[in-house]
Amino acid sequence: GEDVEQSLFLSVREGDSSVINCTYTDSSSTYLYWYKQEPGAGLQLLTYIFSNMDMKQDQRLTVLLNKKDKHLSLRIADTQTGDSAIYFCAERRDSGAGSYQLTFGKGTKLSVIP
Amino acid sequence: EAGVTQFPSHSVIEKGQTVTLRCDPISGHDNLYWYRRVMGKEIKFLLHFVKESKQDESGMPNNRFLAERTGGTYSTLKVQPAELEDSGVYFCASSPGQGKYGYTFGSGTRLTVV
């Protein structure tokens, strides 16, 4: 199919690690992204990973990429209540019109329990 | 630097009316994108401007939608006449290049057609 798939909900306790998973479809995608949307706000770019990488770490965030299985994950260490938000996985696809489009998943709503 | 600014933040209109959404990208960003999220569905690509030219408008749903970017600065997205299924959140984003390191999104305009 053409969808980017994510689970819709995740609930974790404050201080635990959160892992948000995503499967994508286009094996030629060269860049994959994680965006965060807090209530009433826009989409904030958290991180991206290039397809020749397996892992990328940025402070509390770790992105893992399994290109063979087209699986992307975002791990948030020491999850805080401020991490409560919707997290979107997106892949960058060549539209064939001299342009690139982002294809998003439906988003995973992360709820952090104090 | 100022981020991507969209207004209005909310708009409620009746079916058959016209609405114009505006986006001010980050100054100097040649690439400007429109995306929208219809309730319960994925965020979908609408179109991509490079300066004042439409690079890719393959995501525009029908001819009731008209996007412009006169002078290559701000952009408008007009819906005329609006239908119920046009309700959703319309996001604008910009990037200096083709955006492979990610776009900067605005907070979105929530459009409700009643």
Side-chain angles (χ1 to χ4, degrees), chain A residues 3-4 31 33 35 37 40-45 48 86 88 92 95 97-107, chain B residues 33 35 37 40-45 48 50 55-56 58-59 89 91 98-108:
Chain A
D3 292 342
V4 174
Y31 287 87
Y33 308 87
Y35 282 88
Q37 186 183 26
L43 298 168
Q44 174 196 351
L45 177 67
Y48 66 91
I86 301 175
F88 293 92
R92 184 173 185 251
S95 70
S99 177
Y100 292 89
Q101 299 176 11
L102 295 183
T103 300
F104 286 86
K106 287 187 178 180
Chain B
Y33 314 85
Y35 283 77
R37 188 181 193 197
K41 301 211 170 174
E42 296 88 348
I43 301 167
K44 294 280 195 186
F45 169 85
H48 169 203
V50 178
Q55 184 71 27
D56 180 2
S58 61
V89 181
F91 292 103
Q98 283 236 338
K100 61 183 179 181
Y101 303 128
Y103 310 155
T104 302
F105 279 84
S107 298

Side-chain angles (χ1 to χ4, degrees), chain A residues 4-6 20-25 32-36 47 70-74 86-92 102-108, chain B residues 42-43:
Chain A
V4 174
E5 301 283 350
Q6 299 178 240
I20 303 171
N21 294 300
C22 166
T23 55
Y24 61 98
T25 58
L32 296 132
Y33 308 87
W34 285 103
Y35 282 88
K36 174 184 180 182
T47 188
K70 300 193 188 76
H71 183 265
L72 184 72
S73 68
L74 174 69
I86 301 175
Y87 291 80
F88 293 92
C89 167
E91 62 174 332
R92 184 173 185 251
L102 295 183
T103 300
F104 286 86
K106 287 187 178 180
T108 299
Chain B
E42 296 88 348
I43 301 167

Side-chain angles (χ1 to χ4, degrees), chain B residues 48-102:
Chain B
H48 169 203
F49 282 100
V50 178
K51 297 186 181 177
E52 67 275 7
S53 299
K54 292 175 186 172
Q55 184 71 27
D56 180 2
E57 52 183 333
S58 61
M60 294 288 264
N62 51 60
N63 60 10
R64 295 186 294 103
F65 289 75
L66 174 65
E68 294 181 321
R69 193 183 181 195
T70 307
T73 54
Y74 70 90
S75 174
T76 57
L77 179 64
K78 181 161 73 173
V79 185
Q80 179 183 29
E83 298 289 344
L84 299 179
E85 64 264 25
D86 301 331
S87 295
V89 181
Y90 289 75
F91 292 103
C92 175
S94 71
S95 66
Q98 283 236 338
K100 61 183 179 181
Y101 303 128

